[in-house]
Amino acid sequence: MRLGVNVPNFGPGTDPDVLRRWAQTVEGLGFDLLMVSDHVVITPDVAEQYPAPFYEPFTTLSWLAGITSGIGLGTTVILVPYRHPLLVARMAANLNDLSGGRLVLGVGVGWARQEFEALGAAYERRGKVTDEYLAAIRTAWADERDYRSGGVPIWVGGGSEAALRRAVRYGDAWHPLRSSVSWLRETWSRVQDIAAEQGRPAPALAPRILLRITDSPLEERRAGEGTIDQVMADLEALRLLGAETVVLDPFHQDPEETLHPEAAWEMLAAVAARRPRTAPQTGPAASPRRS
């Protein structure tokens, strides 16, 4: 099972030097994938959780590709209704080519109503628009002469019934965010049922979980919270569930954390030290499947 890291590309402590140090730390610790988030307009509803500066993911990953050697690069998640699908198809395919086939395109529908309004995008239709745009992206990539995507895996985020169906229809992996192991086990079974109903192969399982290491065990918790023993047990449970990749998210929703990234790096180092040693892996974590 591969391990990735969600790197904060936003907040008061984030600048090019800090992003460089994040990338060097994550790759140096032996993680397989480095992912960043997406917002286009930092409206008040966005700024409350993810304040400026917010580095745009495609340009940020393009720069990080040049200062890393082999680690996978990805988005967790691109908000699909914000950009024309042919632009996303072009940027993702080009970034994948330029990085040597290292890109994973994580996608979602978005949640910030004020940001939708600022972009002139339809908040109420965001699910339908996401489905239409993902279909257009896959159609564009089918013409390798123009896009040369090389096969960019699409990871579909979300936990609603519509999101699960979207993952089966358009995703190479299902990419749920910050939940418990029990919820993941139950909902993963539903994804597999939907795939069987539609006569399609089930997507891979690639969850993003919280990483918050505590000194004492926790009772009520999400996956990735608790002592290092609890965290490692969660990772093993997800491996047994069939997860091909797990992305660790050390950001705890306080923008001030970005001023002190060393605390997150220490938690990542603790996981890396307990991780079974395997041969280095590079590139995307799930092979694209053709629909």
Side-chain angles (χ1 to χ4, degrees):
M1 185 179 73
R2 297 159 56 101
L3 290 182
V5 178
N6 182 37
V7 169
N9 53 319
F10 54 82
T14 300
D15 60 25
D17 180 61
V18 170
L19 285 169
R20 180 188 295 107
R21 291 165 62 202
W22 263 104
Q24 292 170 340
T25 298
V26 169
E27 187 167 43
L29 286 172
F31 288 97
D32 305 297
L33 181 63
L34 181 161
M35 305 190 86
V36 296
S37 303
D38 181 32
H39 281 287
V40 175
V41 185
I42 311 306
T43 47
D45 49 355
V46 174
E48 185 174 348
Q49 298 183 51
Y50 310 108
F54 201 115
Y55 288 82
E56 194 278 331
F58 282 111
T59 49
T60 301
L61 290 174
S62 296
W63 179 62
L64 292 176
I67 60 176
T68 55
S69 59
I71 192 170
L73 305 166
T75 57
T76 178
V77 290
I78 283 290
L79 304 177
V80 175
Y82 288 176
R83 301 170 179 86
H84 194 286
L86 297 184
L87 176 62
V88 173
R90 176 73 66 186
M91 290 192 297
N94 288 174
L95 175 51
N96 191 55
D97 286 344
L98 293 168
S99 66
R102 290 194 271 158
L103 184 64
V104 171
L105 187 68
V107 301
V109 301
W111 57 269
R113 184 182 291 270
Q114 293 172 343
E115 188 176 21
F116 272 84
E117 293 172 353
L119 291 166
Y123 179 84
E124 291 78 10
R125 295 185 64 250
R126 64 194 188 280
K128 180 176 177 57
V129 168
T130 296
D131 289 346
E132 293 172 353
Y133 282 14
L134 288 176
I137 290 168
R138 284 211 174 274
T139 299
W141 283 348
D143 187 350
E144 299 291 344
R145 294 170 300 174
D146 285 344
Y147 287 85
R148 297 184 60 211
S149 70
V152 179
I154 293 179
W155 292 7
V156 177
S160 67
E161 180 73 8
L164 304 187
R165 293 186 176 277
R166 183 175 301 117
V168 170
R169 178 66 183 84
Y170 300 106
D172 300 294
W174 176 48
H175 185 50
L177 311 180
R178 290 175 168 246
S179 53
S180 67
V181 171
S182 60
W183 182 89
L184 282 167
R185 183 177 291 112
E186 178 182 350
T187 312
W188 177 234
S189 177
R190 178 58 185 149
V191 172
Q192 294 172 309
D193 288 344
I194 292 171
E197 292 167 6
Q198 296 187 6
R200 294 177 174 275
L205 174 61
R208 188 180 100 196
I209 68 171
L210 189 64
L211 178 62
R212 184 169 74 90
I213 297 177
T214 61
D215 293 330
S216 302
L218 300 180
E219 295 295 332
E220 297 294 327
R221 63 190 186 89
R222 290 170 289 182
E225 288 185 300
T227 63
I228 186 63
D229 288 337
Q230 287 181 305
V231 171
M232 299 310 295
D234 288 342
L235 291 175
E236 176 63 9
L238 293 175
R239 185 188 69 81
L240 294 174
L241 191 59
E244 293 188 3
T245 305
V246 175
V247 178
L248 303 176
D249 188 351
F251 178 64
H252 305 153
Q253 303 300 114
D254 180 359
E256 295 298 308
E257 295 171 35
T258 61
L259 295 166
H260 308 286
E262 296 83 5
W265 297 341
E266 289 177 3
M267 289 188 293
L268 291 168
V271 172
R274 294 279 296 269
R275 182 184 183 187
R277 296 301 176 186
T278 58
Q281 303 180 69
T282 60
S287 298
R289 60 193 175 105
R290 299 303 182 188
S291 55

